Amino acid sequence: MLSMLSIRDVVLIDRLEVNLAPGLSVLTGETGAGKSILLDALGLVLGSRSDARLLRQGCDGAAVAACFRISHNHPARAILRESDVASGDDDIVVRRIIGRDGRSKAYVNDQPVGVTLLRRLGQALVEVHGQFESQRLLEPAHHRALLDAFGGHAAEVEACIATSRDWRQARERLARVQAEMEVAARDEAYLRDALAELEKLAPQPGEEADLAARRALLQNAEKLITAVTDAAQELSGGRGAADILRGVLRALERIAPKAEGRLEGALAALEHALSEVSEAEAVLERTLSDADLDPRRLEEVEERLFALRKLARKHNVPADALPRVEGELAERLAAITDGADTVQRLGAEAAAAEKVFRSAALRLSQARQACAARLDAAVAAELEPLRMGKATFRTRLTPLSEDEWGEHGCEAVEFEVATNPGSAPGPLARIASGGELARFMLALKVVLAQADPVSTLVFDEVDAGIGGAVADAVGERLARLADEVQVLVVTHSPQVAARGHHHWRISKRVVDAAARTHIEVLDEAGRTEELARMLAGARVTEEARRAARSLLAGSSAC
């Protein structure tokens, strides 16, 4: 509910702060006192268009703030969460500031927001009838949810949402596999040729790098073999290092017995050197006999390497990814083979999901049909006392085409009205603006009070053009509606004003040679005097006061 409205420098208002309470609050005052200014100011925080003409004369800016006290699961909090605006569990504070040029800035909980978000938030928090161009109940987009809430169709709606989701997912799976099969079938010849080519080459992970290294080695094989051959000749050829070492050993070994051990170290070193030379000879021999150094293998390695790279370019992947490509092609070919069975299975699943959805949607449609009749009758019962008994209200359910079926069921819902006998029902917006539309909306809101999440309703001169018993009926319905939601009503009718739980009088005063709008919370005596003024006009008589006290007593008794 709206708990506080603060206004600064808007038209005739310099400073004004109003604390609001639950129930029915009535605003009265003479024409031109500034009641519409309050609604204009409220409209600013609800997202209506800003205008420099709203600034009080001589001021550089205007500001309006409103505080809303709502439940933790109120739809407004979901709107804020979607927009990454902190909502928490505390009150929601909305501010709108207008500059001299008419441009405005908006804030929710001190976080800057756009006017579009402000308008969405405002539609979830407050509904205004009779003053603003846009009224939520006039928009068919909201009618289906209101009908379902009125009928208590939560279980049927949830079942429809869940089964619709399952059916949609089943159809998407089927369509995806069918599309894949169509593409695969068109490319089957290519797939088979490409797979055969890959299977023939049989690429291995890391093979390209290995072949490139072997190719680099083989490109220098002749030089390497020549160098190794020359080295081997130096080691083991005639008068090579090995022969020289053996000759030196033989010479020293002959004289060693006579050297009394002095040559033992030298002999050991020479034997070790000869062993290392022999090991080097063996390594060089193995190198010369290594098949990988055969220059004739260079062509074979290059042919394999170039074939890998060519195939990689053909598939536009690195050479190391060719084994993966081979597996994917094999899977796609297998899908063609197994696709018919898969399509048949998924088709059966989609058909079963559709059957379940149709059953859930039918239950929801039947519930809506029965509920529509009850809603029509309930609204008709409210119209008669409001002097709109000749008007006809109808909830129209229009079947949707199958491609429009979804989580909301299989029909569109729209509230329609015919205000004149014999005329065909049409959209609610056809009703003439002003009091007639406001009274019709009052009847509808009374019936839908518990179904609609909007917790604050504002009626601007809902009693226009009526009086007596009709005005009393309007007041009685406003009071009844206020048992469910917070209601604010601007009224010129004493019968309506007498029903209020809270009464504010709006007046215009001249302060420092300038007109100012003033708001006053009335006590019992003040209410009596205000109702007497509304009954009698400029000159309040004692008879008018007695009539006012009678109205208040009668309203209290009710």
Side-chain angles (χ1 to χ4, degrees):
M1 66 166 228
L2 177 63
S3 61
M4 184 276 293
L5 181 65
S6 174
I7 306 170
R8 177 175 60 82
D9 295 329
V10 175
V11 193
L12 299 179
I13 299 175
D14 52 359
R15 296 286 189 278
L16 184 64
E17 183 168 316
V18 182
N19 294 308
L20 298 101
L24 175 60
S25 297
V26 296
L27 289 77
T28 63
E30 295 182 355
T31 301
K35 297 184 294 297
S36 62
I37 299 174
L38 285 174
L39 297 185
D40 287 338
L42 178 60
L44 286 173
V45 293
L46 299 180
S48 62
R49 190 167 63 89
S50 63
D51 192 323
R53 288 176 296 181
L54 292 173
L55 269 66
R56 187 167 65 86
Q57 188 174 0
C59 295
D60 293 329
V64 182
C67 180
F68 295 93
R69 188 165 298 152
I70 58 176
S71 62
H72 71 279
N73 59 349
H74 193 281
R77 297 196 189 276
I79 293 173
L80 294 178
R81 285 194 295 270
E82 290 172 9
S83 304
D84 295 325
V85 177
S87 66
D89 293 325
D90 298 326
D91 295 348
I92 293 177
V93 178
V94 183
R95 290 190 298 128
R96 189 91 175 269
I97 300 173
I98 306 174
R100 180 180 288 275
D101 58 0
R103 296 182 179 179
S104 70
K105 296 179 180 179
Y107 302 86
V108 175
N109 293 342
D110 288 328
Q111 187 169 337
V113 299
V115 176
T116 300
L117 173 61
L118 201 63
R119 191 173 297 116
R120 286 185 62 204
L121 188 63
Q123 290 176 346
L125 292 169
V126 180
E127 191 167 301
V128 182
H129 296 281
Q131 178 74 13
F132 296 100
E133 295 177 357
S134 174
Q135 296 186 12
R136 199 170 52 89
L137 274 181
L138 298 181
E139 300 174 10
H142 298 287
H143 295 173
R144 181 165 45 202
L146 288 170
L147 177 66
D148 288 335
F150 175 75
H153 302 153
E156 290 86 351
V157 170
E158 288 298 323
C160 196
I161 292 173
T163 56
S164 171
R165 181 182 61 245
D166 293 342
W167 183 30
R168 184 188 70 251
Q169 292 174 348
R171 285 181 297 171
E172 289 173 351
R173 287 193 296 269
L174 176 60
R176 185 169 58 250
V177 172
Q178 287 175 327
E180 291 172 354
M181 279 197 62
E182 289 176 3
V183 173
R186 286 197 304 268
D187 298 338
E188 183 175 3
Y190 160 75
L191 291 173
R192 293 194 183 281
D193 290 343
L195 183 59
E197 188 177 27
L198 282 165
E199 288 176 341
K200 180 179 179 181
L201 188 62
Q204 301 298 318
E207 186 177 6
E208 182 192 23
D210 181 57
L211 288 172
R214 290 170 63 188
R215 176 178 177 241
L217 179 65
L218 289 170
Q219 285 176 329
N220 296 289
E222 291 186 3
K223 294 179 181 178
L224 180 61
I225 290 173
T226 298
V228 171
T229 300
D230 291 346
Q233 184 64 34
E234 291 294 329
L235 286 177
S236 58
R239 298 309 296 166
D243 283 345
I244 292 172
L245 287 172
R246 291 189 188 95
V248 173
L249 271 172
R250 285 195 295 273
L252 292 178
E253 285 174 347
R254 284 195 297 272
I255 195 64
K258 300 177 180 180
E260 296 182 355
R262 288 183 174 82
L263 298 177
E264 292 298 326
L267 289 172
L270 288 169
E271 289 175 354
H272 179 72
L274 182 59
S275 174
E276 293 294 326
V277 168
S278 298
E279 178 63 25
E281 287 178 332
V283 171
L284 292 175
E285 288 176 3
R286 288 196 298 272
T287 300
L288 290 173
S289 63
D290 190 346
D292 282 344
L293 288 178
D294 186 349
R296 292 171 297 181
R297 293 208 59 199
L298 177 61
E299 182 178 352
E300 176 186 337
V301 170
E302 286 185 334
E303 182 179 350
R304 174 78 178 174
L305 177 62
F306 295 157
L308 276 175
R309 289 176 174 173
K310 180 179 179 181
L311 203 53
R313 288 194 299 272
K314 180 178 179 179
H315 292 282
N316 195 30
V317 296
D320 281 349
L322 287 174
R324 175 178 58 79
V325 173
E326 182 180 352
E328 290 174 352
L329 293 177
E331 288 179 2
R332 290 173 63 184
L333 279 171
I336 295 175
T337 304
D338 301 335
D341 292 340
T342 302
V343 168
Q344 184 176 3
R345 175 177 58 79
L346 292 178
E349 291 178 1
E354 179 183 0
K355 183 177 180 181
V356 174
F357 167 75
R358 283 178 180 270
S359 177
L362 177 61
R363 289 194 299 272
L364 179 56
S365 296
Q366 292 171 339
R368 283 172 174 165
Q369 289 285 356
C371 178
R374 289 192 291 111
L375 177 60
D376 295 351
V379 173
E382 295 294 333
L383 291 175
E384 179 66 34
L386 297 175
R387 209 173 68 183
M388 297 185 70
K390 295 181 180 180
T392 302
F393 175 82
R394 182 181 75 174
T395 305
R396 181 162 65 91
L397 277 63
T398 304
L400 299 173
S401 60
E402 187 169 330
D403 59 352
E404 294 178 297
W405 292 357
E407 61 183 21
H408 298 300
C410 302
E411 60 275 318
V413 178
E414 184 173 3
F415 299 153
E416 295 183 332
V417 63
T419 54
N420 297 308
S423 61
L428 290 177
R430 280 190 186 178
I431 303 176
S433 61
E436 186 181 44
L437 176 59
R439 292 200 305 277
F440 194 94
M441 290 299 162
L442 172 60
L444 194 53
K445 289 303 300 185
V446 168
V447 174
L448 295 173
Q450 293 183 338
D452 197 340
V454 175
S455 56
T456 298
L457 303 177
V458 179
F459 289 89
D460 184 13
E461 299 190 6
V462 66
D463 50 5
I466 62 172
V470 178
D472 187 61
V474 169
E476 187 272 330
R477 277 152 182 78
L478 286 168
R480 181 149 44 102
L481 185 57
D483 290 337
E484 303 291 341
V485 295
Q486 182 188 43
V487 179
L488 283 73
V489 58
V490 175
T491 181
H492 290 286
S493 168
Q495 291 91 341
V496 173
R499 295 276 184 173
H501 304 116
H502 318 284
H503 193 151
W504 306 335
R505 180 169 58 203
I506 313 297
S507 59
K508 185 165 59 176
R509 300 176 181 177
V510 177
V511 179
D512 297 330
R516 295 285 185 271
T517 292
H518 177 75
I519 187 167
E520 178 184 3
V521 179
L522 300 181
D523 57 15
E524 192 69 19
R527 293 190 70 187
T528 300
E529 198 67 18
E530 177 67 2
L531 289 180
R533 181 197 63 78
M534 296 171 73
L535 287 164
R539 182 172 176 273
V540 178
T541 65
E542 191 58 38
E543 290 79 3
R545 290 189 179 94
R546 283 196 296 271
R549 284 191 287 269
S550 177
L551 275 177
L552 288 171
S555 299
S556 300
C558 293

